[in-house]
Amino acid sequence: MSAADETATQSNATDGVVVVCGGVGAARLLRGFVGRVSAEQLTAIVNVGDDMDLHGLRICPDIDTITYTLADAVSPERGWGLDGESWQAMAMLEKLGGVDWFSLGDRDLGTHLYRTQRLSEGASLAAITEEIASRWELPLRMLPVTEDRLRTMVTTVDEGEISFQEYFVRRQHSVAVTSVRFDGSASSRPAAGVLEALRSARRIVIAPSNPAVSIDPVLAVPGVRDVLIERRSDVRAVSPIIGGKALKGPADRLLVELGREASALAVAEWYADVVGTLVIDTVDADAAPAIEALGVTPLVTDTIMAQPGVTESLAEILLS
Ligand code: FO1
């Protein structure tokens, strides 16, 4: 067991707060917890279904988006990757006819080089994530949900099954989807510290990430959903659907393609077995009675974190 694994196992987040995370939405929400919850008590459990191996490198977009966001180094325009990035390596790849549909900035490449080298030396992804987080002096503990290979796969009408990043980036999530599955999930095991953190936290928060492709892969790791079901009354989620639309990404379209509707009520239905309270936006206040009827307590507030003060008040509500 590595030092990071031991730390993860020992420092149970008694009275802590655990945030179940995808990428951009989760990273923005975590900003609200920083300063309200101490670094020792704040744990992010992060999706790895978006991860991929490209150019021989391991790329973990959700972990990196959270890292760069909390380090105040993220590109504000894109919400992923680093601000002030240069793209010389991509230009060379394009010239050589290499794979160039997934944009890796020159500085961002350093992260993937470091991670891949450390993996080849036998370090765990949790240990490497902690190393990177500590170099950036991040005020939280970040755990990949699993060390095992788990990949989100998307079945499209036109092309059959493709990987998540082929769907999201290469196809710009503009192809119709019929189903989603998490390859490797059945045999995956939670990373060291994941179940302990979930069991001992005073509050578990599901970030406003895409339920179908960012949160479900976390819940698909055996043991995780069971703990959330046991702890349901302490679990609060934030709806990523506001007024029938996703602020970013394809969550609204994906819900409809998967046979649901794009609404806060549909999010409540999606999470009804694992979530006791759902925070919905003020524009969706009309959905509150129907959400209540599902046995999920609705909390109505402003949730668009681009507006001043909203991230902070959202964090307060989630902690209260
Ligand atoms: N998203 C894009 O839309 N286009 C890209 O070329 C792209 C590259 C990329 C590189 C590193 C990284 O950490 C994230 C990157 N993303 C890119 C974002 C990422 O694919 C998605 O935001 C998440 O996987 C969805 O949660």
Side-chain angles (χ1 to χ4, degrees), residues 23 50 59 61-62 64 80 101-104 108 164-165 168-169:
D50 296 17
I59 300 163
D62 286 351
D64 292 344
W80 53 267
W101 55 265
F102 196 76
S103 301
L104 297 169
D108 186 34
F164 176 79
Q165 296 297 351
F168 193 91
V169 174

Side-chain angles (χ1 to χ4, degrees), residues 139-190:
L140 85 171
R141 182 168 67 132
M142 197 175 356
L143 294 174
V145 63
T146 180
E147 295 286 342
D148 298 319
R149 191 183 175 286
L150 185 161
R151 294 290 179 268
T152 300
M153 304 297 295
V154 174
T155 301
T156 64
V157 172
D158 297 338
E159 290 180 80
E161 191 172 72
I162 55 179
S163 72
F164 176 79
Q165 296 297 351
E166 282 177 304
Y167 160 71
F168 193 91
V169 174
R170 192 171 194 181
R171 305 291 172 231
Q172 294 288 296
H173 46 77
S174 61
V175 286
V177 169
T178 54
S179 64
V180 175
R181 82 181 172 93
F182 309 114
D183 189 43
S185 63
S187 57
S188 68
R189 293 147 301 165

Side-chain angles (χ1 to χ4, degrees), residues 24 43 65 67 71 82 109 144 146 154 179 181 224 240 248 316:
V24 177
T43 302
T65 296
T67 301
L82 287 156
L109 271 169
T146 180
V154 174
S179 64
R181 82 181 172 93
V224 174
K248 198 173 192 312
E316 290 290 348

